[in-house]
């Protein structure tokens, strides 16, 4: 059985403790590889390597760093099919999605920050009477990057690329649920000539490897994407150590549909924003608010379109949805469908597990599920489910829908469908979210600030915001 290794100081190494965890293929429910069950000792080894690599990596010209990162991007592109297959097998997502979205975006992340660093400049503030301030922005040291399982290589590289471009060295931990493409990335980094110790990838559990990275005194910044509770735990450890923290957390995103929208475009996109990646995208719109005059028309069209979605083998090109990432997550999603029924909801579509034939019979699959009849304040409409489950909620007015949309602890993203310009701007303005899409969803320009408000996160990633996070500003004031 294939065994993943850690990537430390430029080499692929066994975990010091010599123990391994099972890695499952969600499509079959079977163990298909082993991953290092690393611990503090492995993190210590990586810290020593990253520390030793920092002086030269932070001092080489940014053009040299840029070239190495661009080479990694080229190698990701050259290995598109292999990486897409690995991502699909590890995560359960349709291979077509991995091939069209996840892996190209991982290459784009490296390309984007390889070039962004060449254009990144700092400010100067001239004062009257011969005084000028200028801002130096310097790499800080070792960045700790911790990422989740839903968009494995996509989000892993979204952190690593800017941290490296800015001149830091990195200790990164992918999710133990989906480690495979991070391992393949370490092979590509060796091939690209990333100097030893500049990037180190440690595999293992959150409460061992993740916690050791978070608590390590020589890692002064943590960039984390994952659940809100984990984010709170990381902040509890890191904040008293005065570490820089970027937290990208959970969501319960509203999808707000006004009666005057472009119906066909909205319906097509709403299917995607509800069920892409089995609903396991932090930006999926899980609460669908529909203006009352459109409610019945939307409901019947949306239910009919949802029932046509094919849940199947992720490697089959015809599958619209693949497998749920793990058994535990499948059980969590199913428990929320039960909760929705207990709370008085009516299941309009889906609601059940899917059993596929043959080698997939023990895989973890759930039908795309639509529920109506629940108030906006019940648990189903307040808590993150993170699966193929959406609720329908009718509304009468802008004020009412804004209040309902803002009623959760989360504030990641929102989608608004309307052809009325004033409504579009007004609603976007009043929503407590980090990203509002109007008449589109998941349209991403990597230069824009990305992140959430309230319990959806602290700080922003993307563009120069990311380079600012991974550098320390110093104001120098000269009286000449
Ligand atoms: P998770 O919080 O369980 O795990 C995320 C990562 O943190 C994993 O690598 C895990 O091993 C690690 N971890 C766990 N406990 C830790 C600890 N005590 N200390 C340090 N690290 C620890 O999240 P998940 O289940 O992998 O991902 C799903 C969650 O991620 C959802 O809530 C989703 O909304 C969120 N998410 C947010 C964004 C965003 O951009 N805001 C993007 C994707 C996913």
């Amino acid at each position: 059985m294939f065994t993943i290794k850690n990537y430390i100081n430029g080499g692929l190494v066994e975990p010091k403790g010599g123990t391994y965890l099972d890695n499952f293929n969600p499509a079959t429910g079977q163990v298909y590889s082993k991953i290092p069950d690393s611990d503090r000792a492995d993190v210590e080894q990586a810290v020593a390597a990253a520390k030793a690599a920092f002086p030269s990596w932070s001092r080489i010209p940014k053009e040299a760093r840029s070239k190495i990162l661009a080479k990694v991007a080229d190698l990701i592109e050259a290995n598109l099919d292999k990486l897409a297959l690995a991502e699909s097998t590890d995560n359960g997502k349709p291979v077509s999605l991995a091939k069209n979205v996840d892996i190209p975006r991982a290459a784009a992340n490296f390309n984007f920050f390889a070039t962004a660093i060449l254009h990144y400049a700092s400010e100067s503030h001239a004062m009257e009477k011969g005084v000028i301030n200028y801002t130096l922005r310097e790499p800080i040291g070792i960045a700790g990057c911790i990422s989740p399982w839903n968009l494995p290589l996509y989000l892993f590289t979204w952190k690593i690329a800017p941290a490296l471009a800015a001149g830091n060295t990195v200790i990164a931990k992918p999710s133990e649920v989906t480690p495979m493409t991070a391992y393949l990335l370490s092979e590509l980094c060796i091939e690209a000539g990333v100097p030893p110790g500049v990037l180190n990838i440690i595999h293992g559990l959150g409460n061992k490897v993740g916690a050791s990275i978070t608590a390590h005194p020589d890692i002064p910044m943590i960039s984390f994407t994952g659940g809100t509770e984990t984010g709170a735990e990381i902040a509890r450890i890191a904040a008293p150590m005065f570490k820089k923290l970027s937290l990208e957390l959970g969501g319960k995103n509203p999808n707000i549909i006004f009666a005057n929208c472009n119906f066909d475009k909205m319906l097509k996109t709403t299917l995607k924003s509800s069920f892409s990646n089995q609903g396991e995208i932090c930006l999926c719109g899980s609460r669908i608010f529909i203006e009352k005059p459109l409610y019945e028309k939307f409901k019947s069209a949306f239910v009919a379109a949802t029932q046509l979605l094919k849940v199947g083998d992720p490697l089959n090109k015809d599958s619209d949805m693949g497998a749920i990432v793990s058994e535990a997550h499948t059980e969590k999603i199913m428990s929320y469908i039960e909760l929705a029924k207990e709370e008085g909801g009516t299941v309009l579509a889906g609601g059940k597990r899917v059993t596929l034939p043959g080698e997939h019979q023990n895989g973890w699959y759930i039908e795309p599920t639509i529920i109506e009849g629940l108030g906006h304040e019940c648990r189903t409409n307040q808590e993150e489910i993170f699966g193929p489950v959406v609720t329908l909620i009718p509304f009468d007015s802008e004020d009412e829908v804004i209040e309902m949309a803002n009623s959760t602890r989360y504030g990641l993203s929102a989608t608004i469908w309307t052809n009325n310009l004033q409504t579009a701007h007004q609603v976007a303005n009043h929503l407590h979210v980090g990203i509002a899409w109007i008449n589109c969803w998941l349209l991403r320009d990597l230069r824009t600030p990305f992140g959430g408000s309230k319990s959806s996160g602290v700080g922003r990633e993307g563009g120069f915001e990311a380079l600012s996070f991974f550098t320390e500003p110093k104001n120098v004031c000269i009286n000449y």
Side-chain angles (χ1 to χ4, degrees), residues 446-468:
L446 302 190
R447 296 170 300 178
T448 59
F450 178 91
S453 60
K454 302 196 285 184
S455 296
S456 289
V458 175
R460 293 293 181 270
E461 298 184 327
F464 292 150
E465 298 263 356
L467 294 175
S468 296

Side-chain angles (χ1 to χ4, degrees), residues 146-151 155 173-177 204-212 214 224-231 233-234 247-251 281-283 384 386 412 450-452 456 461:
I146 303 174
S147 61
W149 50 254
N150 65 322
L151 302 168
L155 291 174
K173 190 197 107 52
S175 170
E176 62 274 28
V177 184
L205 299 171
N207 59 11
K208 287 166 82 173
V209 178
S212 301
T214 305
F224 169 80
T225 300
T228 293
E229 306 313 324
T230 315
E233 171 64 10
I234 287 174
L247 302 173
E248 301 292 342
L249 310 175
I281 302 179
C282 54
L283 304 162
E384 185 183 44
F386 212 53
L412 189 51
F450 178 91
S456 289
E461 298 184 327

Side-chain angles (χ1 to χ4, degrees), residues 72-399:
V72 176
D74 289 346
L75 287 171
I76 292 174
E77 278 167 7
N79 287 276
L80 173 67
D81 288 335
K82 180 179 172 185
L83 289 164
L85 179 62
E87 201 72 295
S88 172
T89 307
D90 219 21
N91 169 278
K93 67 179 67 210
V95 69
S96 52
L97 188 68
K99 197 167 170 178
N100 292 317
V101 178
D102 292 70
I103 308 306
R105 174 58 194 275
N109 290 339
F110 270 100
N111 266 328
F112 179 85
F113 286 107
T115 49
I117 195 64
L118 303 178
H119 302 273
Y120 186 51
S122 62
E123 316 84 48
S124 100
H125 299 86
M127 296 167 72
E128 59 290 348
K129 294 192 189 142
V131 179
I132 189 159
N133 297 271
Y134 62 88
T135 309
L136 288 175
R137 288 193 182 271
E138 291 164 336
I140 301 170
I142 307 173
C145 298
I146 303 174
S147 61
W149 50 254
N150 65 322
L151 302 168
L153 194 63
Y154 176 134
L155 291 174
F156 197 56
T157 52
W158 181 234
K159 298 182 178 306
I160 290 171
L164 293 177
N168 303 287
T169 53
V170 170
I171 298 181
K173 190 197 107 52
S175 170
E176 62 274 28
V177 184
T178 52
M180 191 56 83
T181 48
Y183 169 75
L184 296 175
L185 178 70
S186 45
E187 290 185 341
L188 298 181
C189 287
I190 294 169
E191 195 180 337
V194 174
V198 165
L199 171 62
N200 305 274
I201 299 176
I202 316 277
H203 295 272
L205 299 171
N207 59 11
K208 287 166 82 173
V209 178
S212 301
I213 291 172
T214 305
H216 202 291
D218 295 335
I219 303 178
M221 59 201 135
I222 304 287
S223 174
F224 169 80
T225 300
T228 293
E229 306 313 324
T230 315
E233 171 64 10
I234 287 174
R236 192 181 66 77
I237 308 286
M241 299 176 81
F242 307 110
K243 298 192 177 204
K244 272 188 123 175
L245 268 182
S246 170
L247 302 173
E248 301 292 342
L249 310 175
K252 188 76 181 174
N253 310 310
N255 177 5
I256 301 173
I257 301 168
F258 286 91
N260 60 14
C261 70
N262 177 331
F263 189 83
D264 293 342
K265 190 174 162 203
M266 174 279 297
L267 188 68
K268 204 169 152 213
T269 309
T270 294
L271 265 188
K272 287 194 179 150
S273 67
S274 302
F275 302 122
S276 284
N277 206 42
Q278 300 73 244
E280 297 164 331
I281 302 179
C282 54
L283 304 162
C284 279
S286 51
R287 294 178 295 152
I288 308 181
F289 296 97
I290 309 108
E291 203 175 10
K292 273 192 187 148
L294 192 69
Y295 190 86
E296 290 303 325
K297 178 179 172 187
F298 171 78
K299 175 173 140 180
S300 56
F302 185 54
V303 168
T306 297
Q307 283 167 339
L308 292 178
L309 292 177
K310 188 165 179 270
V311 179
D313 175 5
L315 300 185
N316 183 337
K317 285 199 194 81
D318 298 332
S319 299
D320 298 301
M321 289 169 55
I324 301 297
V325 75
S326 68
E327 188 164 27
H329 195 54
T330 305
E331 279 163 12
K332 178 188 158 185
I333 296 167
M334 291 310 299
S335 78
Y336 270 102
I337 294 174
E338 285 312 307
L339 174 71
K341 289 186 211 160
E342 282 163 26
E343 288 184 318
T346 303
V347 176
L348 300 174
K352 296 191 290 298
R353 289 183 69 154
V354 177
T355 305
L356 297 182
E359 60 165 342
H360 299 103
Q361 63 181 334
N362 294 319
W364 305 305
Y365 302 88
I366 297 180
E367 294 173 330
T369 300
I370 307 171
I371 295 164
E372 74 167 353
L374 291 170
H376 71 282
E377 283 182 323
C378 67
R379 281 184 55 205
T380 307
N381 276 328
Q382 291 288 317
E383 298 176 14
E384 185 183 44
I385 301 173
F386 212 53
V389 181
V390 295
T391 57
L392 308 188
I393 306 167
F395 70 89
D396 281 307
S397 69
E398 264 177 52
D399 286 349

Side-chain angles (χ1 to χ4, degrees), residues 43-60:
V43 173
E44 286 295 349
Q45 194 187 355
V47 167
K51 238 184 195 175
F54 179 71
S56 75
W57 181 251
S58 58
R59 278 186 218 133
I60 60 168

